[in-house]
């Protein structure tokens, strides 16, 4: 019997080269980090369950992890028992919510982002000065619902589009002011403001910019990323306004394609056909491990060169409520 001939060596096809550019900054902002810490520390201090009114931040993975720790997410306070703590989400709540919590003597912790709270304070100041407020934002978004709920009905007109800005009417002879949702597209907001100011030249600027530093920084970073990237991937959930805006900004800034994904499992690899440079970023409520899992998934299929886009790292932090630090 002849000896077995040696098997020919198998040739493994070389992986196609691909550059992955990483945006700076990306992912968690200070307000999101603070909100998540509030839930985590409340569970540590008071034990499970801790109730959370609405999603603490708009990210499925974050919410699921907190559920595993003992957080219970509810739509309204009437789903919360009297003897357990409740946390208000980072997006802010109407004034009626803490008022109801106090009436029930609930222990509540307010995780509203301080930059959203600033918009609430500005709205109250304008109202106290007798001004009607034009709020630029998206109907139904929790942040907009919270801002509208700071003042009596009719005190604020919601402006969602350029068309709204062209048709909104001043109530009588009331002076006007405006405020914006913190997670809007800078460019879209500028277009709306241009229409409003053309119609109402006396319209003043806000005391400070309402669109938050994190939204601004991530949009500027994705504009740089889009310049020279064939495909931009944005890690974030579909109900995250700032993540959705990053996709829109990338496309407007010149990316051939841009996609929003919750995680690596949502990648359609046909998107990579003909692609040489991929830009990768994450919305302000998306944790960095999700970004790294996307990088790992890409590295398993391509010969990847990683490049970090230049950008200023963020150093902003917000204090936790005294009830969790005392």
């Amino acid at each position: 019997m002849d000896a077995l001939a040696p098997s020919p060596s198998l040739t493994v096809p070389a992986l196609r080269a691909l550059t992955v550019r990483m945006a700076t900054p990306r992912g968690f902002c200070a307000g999101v980090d603070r909100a998540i810490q509030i839930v985590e520390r409340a569970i540590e201090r008071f034990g499970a369950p801790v109730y959370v009114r609405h999603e603490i931040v708009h990210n499925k993975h974050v919410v699921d992890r907190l559920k595993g720790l003992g957080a219970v997410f509810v739509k309204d306070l009437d789903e919360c028992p009297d003897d357990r703590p409740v946390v208000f989400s980072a997006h802010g709540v109407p004034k009626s919510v803490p008022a109801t919590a106090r009436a029930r003597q609930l222990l509540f912790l307010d995780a509203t982002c301080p930059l959203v709270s600033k918009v609430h304070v500005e709205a109250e100041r304008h109202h106290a000065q007798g001004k009607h407020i034009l709020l630029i934002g998206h109907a139904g978004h929790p942040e907009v619902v919270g801002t509208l709920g700071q003042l009596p009905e009719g005190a604020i007109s919601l402006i969602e589009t350029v068309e709204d800005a062209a048709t909104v009417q001043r109530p009588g002879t009331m002076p006007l002011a405006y405020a914006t949702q913190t997670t809007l597209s800078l460019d879209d907001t500028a277009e709306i403001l241009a229409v409003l100011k053309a119609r109402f030249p006396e319209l003043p600027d806000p005391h400070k910019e309402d669109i938050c530093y994190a939204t601004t920084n991530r949009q500027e970073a994705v504009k740089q990323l889009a310049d020279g990237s064939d495909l931009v991937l944005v890690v974030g959930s579909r109900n995250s306004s700032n993540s959705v805006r990053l996709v829109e900004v990338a496309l407007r800034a010149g990316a051939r394609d841009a996609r929003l994904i919750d995680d690596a499992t949502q990648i359609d690899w046909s998107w990579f056909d003909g692609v040489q440079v991929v830009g990768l970023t994450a919305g302000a409520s998306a944790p960095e491990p999700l970004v790294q899992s996307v990088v790992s998934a890409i590295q398993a299929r391509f010969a990847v060169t990683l490049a970090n886009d230049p950008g200023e790292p963020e150093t902003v932090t917000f204090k936790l409520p005294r009830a969790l630090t005392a």
Side-chain angles (χ1 to χ4, degrees):
M1 185 175 180
D2 294 338
L4 293 175
S7 301
S9 60
L10 297 175
T11 301
V12 178
L15 297 177
R16 179 162 70 85
L18 186 75
T19 297
V20 176
R21 293 170 55 194
M22 310 287 287
T24 303
R26 63 179 180 269
F28 278 1
C29 65
V32 164
D33 188 54
R34 173 181 179 268
I36 293 169
Q37 284 192 59
I38 288 173
V39 178
E40 291 172 341
R41 294 205 184 189
I43 293 169
E44 289 174 6
R45 175 159 293 199
F46 304 111
V50 166
Y51 286 75
V52 184
R53 185 185 180 279
H54 292 179
E55 291 187 350
I56 186 69
V57 297
H58 283 158
N59 186 271
K60 177 183 182 298
H61 291 272
V62 170
V63 169
D64 287 347
R65 185 179 70 80
L66 293 175
K67 284 180 180 177
L69 295 177
V72 177
F73 292 87
V74 298
K75 291 184 178 180
D76 290 299
L77 288 185
D78 57 13
E79 300 175 64
C80 302
D82 292 337
D83 60 347
R84 297 306 305 162
V86 60
V87 179
F88 302 152
S89 82
H91 309 102
V93 295
K95 273 190 171 180
S96 59
V97 175
T100 300
R102 291 187 189 98
R104 289 180 53 190
Q105 297 185 324
L106 293 176
L107 171 60
F108 67 89
L109 300 162
D110 190 354
T112 300
C113 174
L115 299 179
V116 174
S117 296
K118 177 178 74 70
V119 175
H120 293 177
V121 170
E122 287 178 354
E124 289 187 294
R125 176 171 56 85
H126 292 316
H127 182 64
Q129 293 170 346
K131 297 177 181 178
H132 183 78
I133 299 158
L134 305 177
L135 174 62
I136 303 171
H138 299 298
H141 188 279
E143 183 183 326
V144 168
V145 172
T147 301
L148 290 171
Q150 301 304 304
L151 298 175
E153 187 173 352
I156 301 176
S157 294
L158 181 61
I159 310 293
E160 294 190 82
T161 64
V162 167
E163 290 72 26
D164 290 343
T167 57
V168 67
Q169 296 300 312
R170 180 200 308 269
T173 58
M174 289 185 71
L176 299 174
Y178 74 82
T180 73
Q181 184 180 328
T182 64
T183 55
L184 297 179
S185 159
L186 295 169
D187 296 333
D188 288 347
T189 304
E191 290 178 11
I192 291 172
L193 283 175
V195 173
L196 289 174
K197 290 198 171 189
R199 294 187 61 209
F200 309 112
E202 82 284 11
L203 200 64
D205 289 330
H207 179 60
K208 294 180 181 178
E209 288 298 326
D210 285 345
I211 296 176
C212 81
Y213 78 93
T215 297
T216 300
N217 292 349
R218 279 152 191 73
Q219 288 183 16
E220 290 302 322
V222 88
K223 287 179 182 178
Q224 293 183 33
L225 203 65
D227 183 14
S229 292
D230 304 306
L231 169 67
V232 172
L233 296 178
V234 178
V235 180
S237 294
R238 295 196 176 278
N239 61 342
S240 165
S241 176
N242 75 85
S243 299
V244 172
R245 300 290 85 74
L246 289 177
V247 174
E248 296 170 353
V249 170
L251 290 170
R252 184 176 294 179
R256 192 180 76 191
D257 193 8
R259 305 282 179 162
L260 180 66
I261 55 173
D262 257 316
D263 53 43
T265 66
Q266 293 189 342
I267 296 174
D268 181 339
W269 295 103
S270 68
W271 299 339
F272 286 69
D273 293 347
V275 167
Q276 294 181 313
V277 180
V278 174
L280 182 57
T281 189
S285 50
E288 180 64 16
L290 294 181
V291 177
Q292 294 305 319
S293 71
V294 171
V295 172
S296 297
I298 297 172
Q299 288 174 326
R301 292 164 174 82
F302 299 92
V304 172
T305 299
L306 280 178
N308 287 303
D309 267 23
E312 287 295 323
E314 293 169 344
T315 58
V316 176
T317 57
F318 294 132
K319 293 181 180 179
L320 296 176
R322 188 172 299 174
L324 295 176
T325 58

